[in-house]
Amino acid sequence: MVYSLSMNKVILKAEDLDGYLSASDRDFIANMDRIYREVMSCCSILDTSQLEKERKKEEENLILLFNAMGSLMQEICGAENRLHVYSFKTPQESHPEASRVIAKLRDYRTGNEEFIYYIQRAYEMLFKLAYGGTTGSNKNYLIVKTPVNIPVQNFAVHKITNIDSKIGNTVMCVMLRGALLPSMIMSKEIQEYSSRGYVTPFALFKIRRDETRHEHDMEYILDLDRSYFNLEDLDGRDLIFADPMNATGGSLVTVVKYLLSEGIKPKSIQFFNAIAALKGALRVVRALENCHVYTLWMDPVLNEAAYILPGLGDAGDRINGKDTELPRNIIQLVADYGSNIARLYRAQLRQIEETVLNTQLKND
């Protein structure tokens, strides 16, 4: 990793990321690439053929190939206890729900509002994957005042699993743009499951990939001047990163390695993705010892531009809409979410605003 004092930027190179992969990892990735080349051949025929018989044959081939890749990914993830893929970890009856959510997120016809709805669904499911399996006799009781006041004001009691010890020390770490809303959703879930309504602090990192490069020589650039966080607030905490797509793992590794270089020692690191590429997921758990990856769906490969295949396009643009002129800053993105999101996540937005303002005041 290169730290540039003059520009106040941290840069991680793809070759450094690949150095964390084992020989076995490389073999699995190469095998997946080989199978996916056959998938692309099927896709090409399906996209151009006008013959029903030919299309039917390629659809059958495509199903066989995806089943083969799924079995291979399940084998790989089964050997690594820090990779948690929803359909590999949950009962069979839960799998169709995940498939349907991912199918809607992938579909090019899914518009902005519907895409946000399914992102919310995805992160509710991911939260349950990470925390919903907690069992035991330790329970929390929620006493709720209802709208019914005849003949007297009514209250209801609801018993929930006590997970305060797992969520009460968390900080949401946002790798900006597409990760902002998923991070707010995760924070909201934590607030709802906390017995005291805990609202997570936020740390906001401005990181980008150099899109002029290819997957094999990509650079990941953390801009400290345009990030908003307090290092001391991250030490000894459970750090949660929620990014809808994990393609290469480079952004997360860059941020965490920077924090470690500054003497910050997180208690734990958790990475939540709607979709993760196999290579990116493996890079993350190989590079970061105390990190767990939770993903609703795992995709097999990356293309030369480091985009996930089959993927779902640019998740940031599909959540936030495309920038019409200059890239929007964090406050502009929040404003563009509109009143519905603002009302639903008002506690999270307040924390984000305080993070930005407090960091600016500290730096002035």
Side-chain angles (χ1 to χ4, degrees):
M1 184 180 295
V2 178
Y3 180 40
S4 173
L5 284 171
S6 59
M7 298 177 63
N8 209 22
K9 289 180 171 62
V10 177
I11 301 173
L12 181 70
K13 297 178 181 294
E15 61 196 54
D16 298 322
L17 278 173
D18 283 337
Y20 293 111
L21 296 173
S22 68
S24 176
D25 293 336
R26 295 173 190 273
D27 288 342
F28 274 122
I29 291 167
N31 195 18
M32 201 68 75
D33 287 342
R34 178 190 60 77
I35 298 173
Y36 205 80
R37 284 194 290 272
E38 296 182 53
V39 168
M40 288 189 287
S41 177
C42 290
C43 291
S44 180
I45 294 170
L46 285 172
D47 189 46
T48 58
S49 178
Q50 303 297 317
L51 301 175
E52 183 63 27
K53 185 176 181 180
E54 185 178 37
R55 289 180 59 82
K56 182 66 175 177
K57 177 184 176 183
E58 293 307 318
E59 286 175 354
E60 292 172 354
N61 287 340
L62 196 63
I63 291 170
L64 290 173
L65 289 168
F66 268 86
N67 282 338
M69 290 188 296
S71 296
L72 185 57
M73 285 187 283
Q74 190 164 4
E75 178 185 348
I76 298 167
C77 294
E80 174 49 71
N81 63 10
R82 290 181 295 141
L83 286 178
H84 309 270
V85 182
Y86 189 89
S87 57
F88 300 163
K89 296 285 187 177
T90 57
Q92 185 71 34
E93 56 267 24
S94 300
H95 300 176
E97 182 184 9
S99 285
R100 187 60 182 161
V101 168
I102 294 298
K104 293 297 290 186
L105 288 171
R106 288 197 202 278
D107 197 325
Y108 73 96
R109 296 168 297 183
T110 301
N112 170 253
E113 291 184 357
E114 192 177 14
F115 191 87
I116 288 174
Y117 167 76
Y118 282 105
I119 282 290
Q120 290 172 313
R121 287 268 304 275
Y123 275 92
E124 289 168 1
M125 294 167 69
L126 284 168
F127 184 87
K128 292 175 183 175
L129 175 64
Y131 301 108
T134 304
T135 58
S137 58
N138 192 12
K139 302 291 183 182
N140 274 334
Y141 290 89
L142 301 180
I143 299 177
V144 181
K145 184 177 180 179
T146 81
V148 178
N149 55 14
I150 300 174
V152 298
Q153 176 62 57
N154 274 248
F155 293 82
V157 176
H158 295 273
K159 184 165 61 176
I160 62 172
T161 303
N162 186 347
I163 59 172
D164 283 353
S165 62
K166 293 191 173 185
I167 61 178
N169 188 47
T170 52
V171 177
M172 290 305 309
C173 298
V174 186
M175 296 182 292
L176 301 182
R177 307 292 295 177
L180 180 60
L181 184 58
S183 300
M184 291 162 57
I185 296 167
M186 284 296 294
S187 177
K188 181 73 171 179
E189 289 294 297
I190 289 169
Q191 180 185 6
E192 293 300 312
Y193 277 85
S194 167
S195 64
R196 57 188 177 90
Y198 173 67
V199 180
T200 65
F202 279 76
L204 310 171
F205 300 94
K206 176 63 174 177
I207 187 163
R208 64 178 178 85
R209 306 191 318 188
D210 183 348
E211 297 295 351
T212 65
R213 295 175 176 268
H214 296 89
E215 195 273 328
H216 70 278
D217 65 354
M218 185 65 69
E219 290 186 349
Y220 305 86
I221 305 163
L222 172 60
D223 187 341
L224 297 174
D225 288 333
R226 299 174 64 189
S227 298
Y228 305 95
F229 61 90
N230 186 353
L231 280 172
E232 292 76 16
D233 293 342
L234 303 176
D235 198 29
R237 306 294 291 272
D238 296 304
L239 306 186
I240 296 180
F241 294 79
D243 197 328
M245 305 284 281
N246 172 23
T248 65
S251 294
L252 177 73
V253 174
T254 303
V255 170
V256 174
K257 289 293 186 181
Y258 161 71
L259 295 177
L260 295 175
S261 73
E262 292 295 309
I264 301 305
K265 298 179 180 178
K267 183 179 178 182
S268 69
I269 303 164
Q270 297 179 85
F271 194 24
F272 292 86
N273 318 117
I275 294 179
L278 173 64
K279 187 175 186 179
L282 286 172
R283 278 169 158 178
V284 166
V285 295
R286 299 294 184 252
L288 306 174
E289 293 182 359
N290 62 339
C291 181
H292 284 253
V293 174
Y294 295 88
T295 184
L296 197 60
W297 202 266
M298 183 166 280
D299 270 4
V301 300
L302 300 171
N303 64 14
E304 290 184 358
Y307 285 99
I308 299 174
L309 297 180
L312 52 74
D314 191 317
D317 284 349
R318 298 188 73 180
I319 292 172
N320 300 323
K322 292 184 178 181
D323 293 326
T324 55
E325 296 177 1
L326 296 175
R328 289 163 290 174
N329 62 34
I330 192 74
I331 300 300
Q332 290 169 326
L333 282 177
V334 166
D336 286 347
Y337 284 149
S339 58
N340 288 339
I341 294 293
R343 284 193 294 266
L344 182 59
Y345 298 105
R346 59 188 180 275
Q348 284 68 38
L349 291 173
R350 192 176 301 116
Q351 287 284 346
I352 290 168
E353 290 170 354
E354 289 178 2
T355 299
V356 173
L357 293 173
N358 289 341
T359 306
Q360 288 176 333
L361 287 172
K362 183 179 178 180
N363 293 336
D364 287 344

